[in-house]
Amino acid sequence: MNADITQWDRFLASFFDLAVMQKYLPDIVDGFLLTCHLAILIVISGLVLGLILAVIRAYEFWLTSWLIVVFADVMRALPPLVFILLLYFGLPGVGLNLSGYAATYVTLTLVLAAFSEEIFRAGILATPKGQWEAARSTGLGFGQSLAYVIMPQAIRMTVPPLTNRTIAIAKNTALGTVVGVGEILNQATTGQSFSGNASPLVLGALAYLILFIPVVVFGRWVETRFAWRRT
Amino acid sequence: MEFILQNFFNWDIVTQAWPLLLRGFGMTLILMAAVIPVGCIGGLTVALLGQSRFRAVRWLTIIYVDFFRAFPPLVLLIFIYAGLPFAGIDLPAIVSVCLAFLLNSSAYYGEVFRAGIESVGTGQAEAARSTGLSGFQTTTYVVLPQAIRNVLPDLVSNTLEVAKLTSLASVVALPELLYSADMARSVTFNATPIVMAAVLYLVLLWPLVRLLSRIEHRSMGSR
């Protein structure tokens, strides 16, 4: 009985040491803010770039379409960590020094752009042909039909897959820790190795839950809401 | 141009690093062969538990799924690899990786299978039961085959993600493809090994991406 208590105490002391937690809390908060703004930047630029690429591809000009397909395939097939390391360690060799932050930002933006381009593209293709014909026959140009008739419908169809993909890529900001970006995971592991205690890791895990549980629940809500509308 | 070739496509380094990378590639293949079935089976279990008659079990699976979907996989891996030793549980890197993948990908596969099972009308199960099939037979022979066909694009897409995620094992020093490439890079001070790893990943996963594009477009078009 006595031994049980000491073991439990030891468990608490390694994972929930309040003094250690208090000491590293400011670092974790810093990491939290950095994860937030990195994720927001990636989501905005990735989705905008993906939309632009999908629109360019809608014009069906063979060279641009071909380039976009190659880009989207490569970025979807490569593990993002490989690309981050390639940018971070490879570019200095050709005289371009990229910070870990920039390497993570560029990589995840391109990955999100590749996936969202494919999703937008699928939405455009799934819009019935009659919509195009009707839009064109009222005298709208190709670009106008795309912007005012097709895209609003296509984007609505793509909301659930896009939401899920965006959440998954936002979580990948944790990969930045490998190239020294001071986001949550990085702060947590640094704290853990300095203090020789797992409490900073627990704090980091809590920070991720606080950040992403609402996002995941929101994603679930979007999925059911839009699925309901489709039927 | 010369400069770029020297830094990214250095032939001397390719020949030197090749054996190391090939071994890493083998490890990556083993890892994929281990974690994809484990994740699939885990996910199927989660999805079936999600259909339970008991409300408490259904709620627990939702909590499980959302909890592990909220954790970035790398965080989960580091937590298991660096955190558990503090609780006196010292796992080898490969076991940590498999455990992290089981928890993470069973949540994702679980969601996919759940969507699939819910897409099969209840009339199917009722008809199957009324012909005298047991509950187990109904699930395996009637519901699941249709469920899997309905969510095939998501299943392939999730498998692609899991395959790519094996690169995270490099962070906990498991000598798979990316880890070997990064070792070679740090020894040669040259990015060529990472380019080689990228090429190997492309060779392996590009067909899957193509397949995915094909079935994805087909399924959206038929809607």
Side-chain angles (χ1 to χ4, degrees), chain A residues 73 76 93 165 171 196 220, chain B residues 66 69 108 164 206 210:
Chain A
D73 274 14
R76 288 187 303 160
R165 182 58 64 182
K171 286 193 308 184
R220 197 183 271 287
Chain B
D66 280 0
R69 287 202 307 173
Y108 278 94
K164 289 193 290 180
W206 186 68
R210 279 286 94 217

Side-chain angles (χ1 to χ4, degrees), chain B:
Chain B
M1 192 64 209
E2 183 77 2
F3 215 46
I4 291 176
L5 281 181
Q6 192 69 23
N7 273 290
F8 291 101
F9 307 98
N10 191 321
W11 191 250
D12 286 342
I13 290 177
V14 170
T15 49
Q16 273 177 40
W18 185 241
L20 185 67
L21 260 82
L22 214 54
R23 228 172 310 148
F25 190 55
M27 190 66 191
T28 288
L29 291 180
I30 292 173
L31 210 52
M32 285 177 187
V35 297
I36 291 171
V38 162
C40 269
I41 294 167
L44 200 53
T45 313
V46 169
L48 290 175
L49 285 175
Q51 306 297 313
S52 163
R53 272 181 298 140
F54 303 105
R55 183 187 295 239
V57 177
R58 290 202 304 269
W59 273 102
L60 279 177
T61 56
I62 290 181
I63 291 171
Y64 173 88
V65 165
D66 280 0
F67 186 83
F68 285 108
R69 287 202 307 173
F71 266 118
L74 183 59
V75 176
L76 197 60
L77 178 58
I78 300 257
F79 202 93
I80 290 172
Y81 183 71
L84 284 188
F86 286 96
I89 305 169
D90 233 328
L91 298 175
I94 181 121
V95 180
S96 305
V97 170
C98 287
L99 185 58
F101 270 84
L102 171 65
L103 295 174
N104 175 69
S105 54
S106 67
Y108 278 94
Y109 275 119
E111 273 299 282
V112 175
F113 284 125
R114 180 189 59 83
I117 291 172
E118 284 173 4
S119 74
V120 179
T122 46
Q124 294 284 331
E126 286 161 8
R129 290 307 299 271
S130 71
T131 63
L133 292 185
S134 70
F136 178 77
Q137 286 171 322
T138 302
T139 306
T140 25
Y141 299 122
V142 179
V143 177
L144 281 184
Q146 299 184 62
I148 288 171
R149 203 193 49 207
N150 288 350
V151 290
L152 197 59
D154 290 335
L155 221 45
V156 175
S157 149
N158 200 41
T159 305
L160 174 67
E161 287 309 304
V162 176
K164 289 193 290 180
L165 275 183
T166 56
S167 63
L168 296 189
S170 61
V171 179
V172 296
L174 193 79
E176 46 71 77
L177 179 55
L178 185 56
Y179 182 81
S180 314
D182 200 44
M183 284 282 281
R185 175 202 60 80
S186 63
V187 173
T188 58
F189 294 107
N190 189 296
T192 307
I194 302 205
V195 174
M196 291 165 68
V199 170
L200 285 172
Y201 276 115
L202 278 183
V203 168
L204 188 65
L205 298 177
W206 186 68
L208 207 55
V209 171
R210 279 286 94 217
L211 174 74
L212 185 61
S213 277
R214 183 159 295 180
I215 57 182
E216 244 170 10
H217 283 199
R218 209 170 51 195
S219 75
M220 256 219 196
S222 68
R223 208 173 266 152

Side-chain angles (χ1 to χ4, degrees), chain A residues 68-203:
Chain A
I68 291 171
V69 171
V70 171
F71 163 77
D73 274 14
V74 169
M75 294 315 292
R76 288 187 303 160
L78 272 188
L81 190 54
V82 176
F83 204 76
I84 290 176
L85 293 185
L86 199 56
L87 292 184
Y88 186 71
F89 291 116
L91 289 186
V94 289
L96 241 168
N97 264 313
L98 225 53
S99 67
Y101 182 90
T104 311
Y105 167 73
V106 170
T107 301
L108 296 181
T109 296
L110 294 181
V111 172
L112 181 56
F115 275 103
S116 60
E117 184 276 323
E118 283 298 307
I119 296 172
F120 285 131
R121 166 90 182 154
I124 293 174
L125 288 182
T127 307
K129 214 167 173 210
Q131 295 286 330
W132 276 108
E133 290 160 357
R136 294 304 300 270
S137 71
T138 62
L140 293 181
F142 181 88
Q144 287 171 317
S145 308
L146 189 63
Y148 301 124
V149 180
I150 305 303
M151 286 318 280
Q153 303 181 58
I155 287 176
R156 167 163 297 178
M157 239 181 302
T158 55
V159 166
L162 216 49
T163 311
N164 284 334
R165 182 58 64 182
T166 305
I167 294 172
I169 289 169
K171 286 193 308 184
N172 272 344
T173 49
L175 297 181
T177 189
V178 178
V179 288
V181 181
E183 45 66 72
I184 301 172
L185 181 59
N186 193 276
Q187 302 287 0
T189 49
T190 309
Q192 178 240 331
S193 57
F194 273 124
S195 64
N197 187 291
S199 305
L201 281 182
V202 173
L203 270 187

